[in-house]
Amino acid sequence: MTDRSKVSAFSHADYTIGSKRSSLFSPLGAFVLVIGMVAAFFLSQLVGVYLAGKWLLPTVKTMTVGDVFVFGGSNGTVVSVSIVISCLLILLLSALILRLKSADVFQYLAFKPFSLAVGMQMLGLLILFMVGSQVLTYALDKSPLVFVDPLYHSVSSVWLLVFAMVIVAPIYEELVFRGILWTAIAEQFSTPKHLKRRSLNRARGALAASMITSAIFAVMHLQYGIYEIGTIMVLALIFCYARFKSGSLVLPMLLHILNNGAAMWQYLSQVS
């Protein structure tokens, strides 16, 4: 096997690229992908709220489009259903993009098993973060989940809200930020010129992808304040580290679900 073929095989295995090229997207293509997926992320939420609102709001026939967004966006049932709709739309879009690039969807998105040892290490790191964040939140007298109040009080079933926010939301958020975008950005910075430098290039690509996707992910949580956005940035970096260490998207998905579940459990214990 020549040096060039070794490099190609390494890149394929470590970044789960679905073709023989070292990078599935060109630099311009990766930039367009980032902009497009962020826009699609927002648009899918709007479409989800509109469709769910049209279906579930009792006075929808007399409402304008703006009314549907205003009343639907504060209705727990509508928001919960809209999250499920958004997830389906993002899943379909991601699969379509990768299939158009002739990539193996599951391989490129790193849907694969991970080491139990790595999983336990990342779980420990997440628990440390959660404890530290909780202490700091109490010390600063913050209420990061205050935006859940109107959703909780208007949802038809609390379990529907829990399912949407604890299970579904982490899946499609990870799919976008630690899935397709993380891999597309990482491969732009990690194509090694020599096989001996592959670990350095791999780490460089992971770092670039982690910083960029985490910053975007944090800023997109506009329902929070500055403190909460900073906390989300750190949390996103932990998910990225889990993605890098495990080589699997499944681990950050599970960690995200665990984090949201703990936060929701704490919220429900306070309001019940």
Side-chain angles (χ1 to χ4, degrees):
M1 181 181 287
T2 65
D3 285 350
R4 183 175 180 181
S5 61
K6 289 179 181 178
V7 169
S8 179
F10 168 80
S11 181
H12 179 91
D14 277 5
Y15 284 101
T16 62
I17 306 305
S19 71
K20 295 181 179 180
R21 296 162 51 190
S22 59
S23 178
L24 186 65
F25 295 92
S26 67
L28 178 59
F31 177 77
V32 172
L33 178 70
V34 171
I35 300 300
M37 287 302 296
V38 170
F41 188 84
F42 277 117
L43 184 60
S44 70
Q45 294 177 341
L46 293 176
V47 172
V49 169
Y50 181 76
L51 293 178
K54 292 283 286 185
W55 177 30
L56 297 168
L57 292 176
T59 58
V60 70
K61 291 182 179 180
T62 62
M63 289 183 178
T64 65
V65 173
D67 290 335
V68 174
F69 286 122
V70 170
F71 292 103
S74 59
N75 183 285
T77 304
V78 171
V79 170
S80 298
V81 173
S82 75
I83 290 174
V84 176
I85 294 173
S86 298
C87 181
L88 293 175
L89 292 175
I90 289 295
L91 283 170
L92 290 173
L93 177 62
S94 300
L96 177 61
I97 291 173
L98 294 179
R99 291 308 299 159
L100 289 175
K101 299 290 289 186
S102 299
D104 184 305
V105 176
F106 285 91
Q107 188 178 37
Y108 192 84
L109 295 177
F111 280 113
K112 59 183 180 180
F114 56 87
S115 164
L116 179 60
V118 173
M120 296 304 296
Q121 292 172 9
M122 294 301 102
L123 176 60
L125 181 61
L126 178 64
I127 292 174
L128 286 176
F129 165 82
M130 292 167 64
V131 172
S133 175
Q134 190 64 36
V135 171
L136 188 58
T137 297
Y138 275 117
L140 297 177
D141 193 26
K142 296 290 184 178
S143 300
L145 291 181
V146 66
F147 79 97
V148 179
D149 285 340
L151 305 180
Y152 171 78
H153 292 294
S154 60
V155 73
S156 60
S157 169
V158 173
W159 290 110
L160 175 62
L161 184 64
V162 170
F163 173 70
M165 298 190 69
V166 174
I167 305 297
V168 181
I171 289 176
Y172 85 87
E173 288 178 350
E174 291 305 307
L175 178 72
V176 173
F177 293 99
R178 263 66 65 181
I180 188 170
L181 293 188
W182 193 93
T183 306
I185 296 171
E187 66 184 12
Q188 300 301 315
F189 295 87
S190 59
T191 304
K193 295 181 179 179
H194 195 278
L195 190 61
K196 292 182 179 180
R197 298 182 57 193
R198 63 186 186 181
S199 296
L200 177 61
N201 280 276
R202 182 172 180 264
R204 182 180 63 181
L207 179 60
S210 299
M211 294 303 297
I212 294 171
T213 58
S214 296
I216 297 173
F217 181 72
V219 170
M220 288 180 69
H221 284 76
L222 300 178
Q223 68 268 38
Y224 297 105
I226 298 298
Y227 164 74
E228 291 81 9
I229 290 177
T231 302
I232 291 172
M233 175 75 178
V234 176
L235 183 62
L237 288 172
I238 292 175
F239 295 152
C240 288
Y241 186 51
R243 167 69 178 84
F244 173 67
K245 287 288 289 184
S246 67
S248 171
L249 183 62
V250 177
L251 179 55
M253 278 185 174
L254 292 176
L255 294 177
H256 198 155
I257 289 172
L258 179 61
N259 177 78
N260 283 22
M264 182 61 74
W265 174 82
Q266 182 184 19
Y267 174 81
L268 293 177
S269 66
Q270 292 174 347
V271 299
S272 61

